[in-house]
Amino acid sequence: MEAKKRIEIMDTTLRDGEQTSGVSFLPSEKLQIAKLLLEELKVDRIEVASARVSEGELEGVQKITQWASQKGYLDRVEVLGFVDTPASVNWIVESGAKVMNLLTKGSLNHLIHQLKKTPEQHFEDIRESIAYAQEKGIAVNVYLEDWSNGMRNSKEYTLSLIEFLQGQAVKRVMLPDTLGLLAPEEVKSYFQEITKLFPELHFDFHAHNDYDLSVANVMEAILYGAAGIHTTINGLGERAGNAPLESVVAVIEDFTDFEIGIQEQKIFRVSKLVEQFSGQHIPANKPVVGENVFTQTAGIHADGDNKKNLYFNDLMPERFGRQRKYALGKTSGKANILKNLEELGISLEKEELAKVTQRIIELGDKKERVTTEDLPYIISDVLQNNVISKHISIEGYHMTHSKGLKPTVQLRMKIHGKSYDESATGDGQYDSFMRALKKIYKSLGKELPKLTDYHVSIPPGGKTDAFVETVITWDYGKIFKTKGLDPDQTVAAMMATEKMLNIIENMTYQPEKEESTYYGNEYRAVAG
């Protein structure tokens, strides 16, 4: 049986990825990312810096090479160098690295207008750089900058450069689509031509994503002769970025017969760390690593998954160290809710499930996102409401909060079918609400309990944008708590207060029938 062709993955997050606008890794961060790339993800090579950039860059490379030397990874750590003998090579020697990726001009346009040299002069400079690197014990790969434009507009020059490199001590020839301008059919055509002309050379392809074609172009490159692919974590890079490692790995694994050594299950954790270090937020819909890509929202999808995994594809979340989730919102329906309840080990009665579903739909209509972590809060709130007879309700309110002025509230309460209106000013919106409420209760000859504690929280993890939970502790001869849920903290507190009023009303309104007691997080009627 013929062995599968192996594709090398060279990750350049620490060099090309750091050219993302606003991204600059600290030396210690570079070391941590390098360790994860080589030891966790098992990429074949990493490009960690450009020579001669700064002292900080030198320190970062030295940290990486010292560690890599101890681990036996030094030949897998690469540094971009320039045709500037001896400057780049000397910098790389000082950094402790052993591999230089030499940046040459892959298009006649770049050569003439940037270097202002003839091809013969450039080739001689390249030869000198490679010879000096060899003398210093540095292995050399060569980039053909602007190769894609070269193939389009000055093919004779570009092919002559590759032919020249074939006779030099070069391990890899690296072909960048520097401006991200190629279409997949061009990548196919160019690789077919080059690999036919130079079958003995190892070619890498370096894609940029300006037209959102980087992954498609990578696929064409490897199908038609590329032996290595350059990537970055999360697609970091200049302008629209580079080919994202996470998508490239998935495409190679699922759409080709080639072999790669990447540990897929480690991709997500590395992606999240790079997100933190770079400060570049991962879009929620980004393939493989985005927040939403393994989340089913429509209820019909959850129902289909229950019946025979009808909405699964080969991109199973477990491959990448993730889990499938079922989003909760106005389109989710009972199937999604049941999936989430199953995950939490909770079962509800039919009537309770209907009420929980309705509450989630209400939040979805407000464009709020509900997570699995929110569910226990919603269930507790719904079940608490179920056991409290509602004689009192907040019918309406208008709150104002302006700089330099005290907050005011206009409040309408409905008590046993009759409406009462009051307004008040206080030290905050909730304080204003309570002052207005006290006026109403005073007019009825009633007293309110003493508020002894007020606590605001969100579900564990802090990822929800659906609501906050406000828990208020009251003293009414006995201590009890009520809670409210709402996206607005003040409204949540008002809902908790409404529950308190109904608990007290149930205690006093029908004393001949039962004695009412509040235990922990719920109200229970105890037969007397």
Side-chain angles (χ1 to χ4, degrees), residues 111-160:
L111 177 65
I112 292 171
H113 296 289
Q114 196 167 42
L115 293 189
K116 302 186 187 303
K117 291 189 175 185
T118 65
E120 293 74 23
Q121 289 171 324
H122 189 42
F123 293 180
E124 178 57 27
D125 291 342
I126 294 168
R127 187 199 60 74
E128 187 180 341
S129 290
I130 294 171
Y132 186 68
Q134 274 194 300
E135 183 184 319
K136 294 294 184 179
I138 303 296
V140 180
N141 304 313
V142 177
Y143 271 115
L144 273 62
E145 185 180 17
D146 202 36
W147 164 80
S148 45
N149 254 324
M151 291 299 290
R152 271 187 180 180
N153 305 312
S154 55
K155 186 179 290 187
E156 184 180 349
Y157 162 76
T158 302
L159 294 179
S160 69

Side-chain angles (χ1 to χ4, degrees), residues 237-306:
E238 281 191 294
R239 305 182 313 277
N242 294 36
L245 177 139
E246 54 276 6
S247 298
V248 166
V249 167
V251 163
I252 293 175
E253 290 282 10
D254 292 358
F255 293 103
T256 78
D257 290 327
F258 299 121
E259 184 179 283
I260 53 176
I262 303 299
Q263 300 298 301
E264 284 187 330
Q265 70 275 17
K266 302 296 179 65
I267 285 176
F268 186 60
R269 60 187 287 194
V270 176
S271 167
K272 296 303 286 183
L273 186 73
V274 171
E275 179 185 39
Q276 291 298 313
F277 286 171
S278 67
Q280 298 290 307
H281 181 65
I282 300 169
N285 63 342
K286 186 170 180 57
V288 180
V289 295
E291 185 71 22
N292 293 346
V293 296
F294 297 117
T295 300
Q296 303 280 37
T297 300
I300 189 173
H301 291 175
D303 184 60
D305 291 349
N306 278 334

Side-chain angles (χ1 to χ4, degrees), residues 29-89:
E29 291 174 334
K30 279 203 163 195
L31 177 59
Q32 290 305 316
I33 294 171
K35 287 180 176 180
L36 288 170
L37 290 170
L38 290 173
E39 292 213 301
E40 296 286 318
L41 275 182
K42 305 291 186 186
V43 302
D44 297 287
R45 300 143 49 206
I46 57 173
E47 190 175 45
V48 299
S50 297
R52 301 167 35 220
V53 169
S54 68
E55 284 301 312
E57 193 83 330
L58 181 62
E59 181 190 345
V61 179
Q62 286 171 337
K63 281 180 178 289
I64 292 169
T65 57
Q66 286 164 12
W67 167 79
S69 180
Q70 295 169 0
K71 291 286 187 174
Y73 297 148
L74 203 50
D75 61 337
R76 296 163 62 184
V77 176
E78 302 172 5
V79 176
L80 182 75
F82 306 97
V83 183
D84 58 1
T85 309
S88 286
V89 172

Side-chain angles (χ1 to χ4, degrees), residues 85-196:
T85 309
S88 286
V89 172
N90 288 348
W91 193 96
I92 291 169
V93 169
E94 187 180 356
S95 76
K98 289 293 183 181
V99 182
M100 174 172 70
N101 293 338
L102 183 64
L103 188 69
T104 69
K105 295 303 181 184
S107 72
L108 196 57
N109 194 44
H110 268 223
L111 177 65
I112 292 171
H113 296 289
Q114 196 167 42
L115 293 189
K116 302 186 187 303
K117 291 189 175 185
T118 65
E120 293 74 23
Q121 289 171 324
H122 189 42
F123 293 180
E124 178 57 27
D125 291 342
I126 294 168
R127 187 199 60 74
E128 187 180 341
S129 290
I130 294 171
Y132 186 68
Q134 274 194 300
E135 183 184 319
K136 294 294 184 179
I138 303 296
V140 180
N141 304 313
V142 177
Y143 271 115
L144 273 62
E145 185 180 17
D146 202 36
W147 164 80
S148 45
N149 254 324
M151 291 299 290
R152 271 187 180 180
N153 305 312
S154 55
K155 186 179 290 187
E156 184 180 349
Y157 162 76
T158 302
L159 294 179
S160 69
L161 173 56
I162 297 174
E163 185 176 9
F164 164 75
L165 292 173
Q166 189 172 225
Q168 301 298 309
V170 170
K171 191 167 185 180
R172 301 174 184 88
V173 175
M174 308 195 294
L175 309 176
D177 182 11
T178 303
L179 300 177
L181 52 82
L182 292 180
E185 59 268 23
E186 290 178 287
V187 176
K188 172 184 174 180
S189 173
Y190 297 155
F191 266 92
Q192 282 180 317
E193 183 174 0
I194 284 175
T195 53
K196 184 177 180 180

Side-chain angles (χ1 to χ4, degrees), residues 297 327-333 337 355-371 374 378 464-467 486-487:
T297 300
L328 297 166
K330 65 180 181 180
T331 64
S332 56
I337 295 167
K355 289 184 177 180
V356 169
T357 302
Q358 185 56 39
R359 186 78 173 98
I360 290 169
I361 290 170
E362 288 169 5
L363 288 164
D365 283 336
K366 295 179 181 179
K367 298 188 183 295
E368 303 294 350
R369 181 173 64 95
V370 183
T371 68
D374 301 330
I378 295 173
T464 181
D465 59 2
F467 52 72
D486 194 84

Side-chain angles (χ1 to χ4, degrees), residues 309-372:
N309 295 337
L310 298 180
Y311 293 92
F312 282 17
N313 61 21
D314 289 339
L315 284 173
M316 299 297 283
E318 293 77 13
R319 284 174 55 181
F320 309 103
R322 304 191 62 185
Q323 289 184 320
R324 190 173 302 279
K325 293 183 179 180
Y326 294 87
L328 297 166
K330 65 180 181 180
T331 64
S332 56
K334 290 181 182 177
N336 272 22
I337 295 167
L338 285 169
K339 279 278 190 183
N340 282 273
L341 291 174
E342 186 179 300
E343 186 179 322
L344 294 168
I346 296 172
S347 63
L348 295 176
E349 298 297 327
K350 188 175 181 180
E351 181 186 345
E352 294 168 342
L353 179 60
K355 289 184 177 180
V356 169
T357 302
Q358 185 56 39
R359 186 78 173 98
I360 290 169
I361 290 170
E362 288 169 5
L363 288 164
D365 283 336
K366 295 179 181 179
K367 298 188 183 295
E368 303 294 350
R369 181 173 64 95
V370 183
T371 68
T372 303

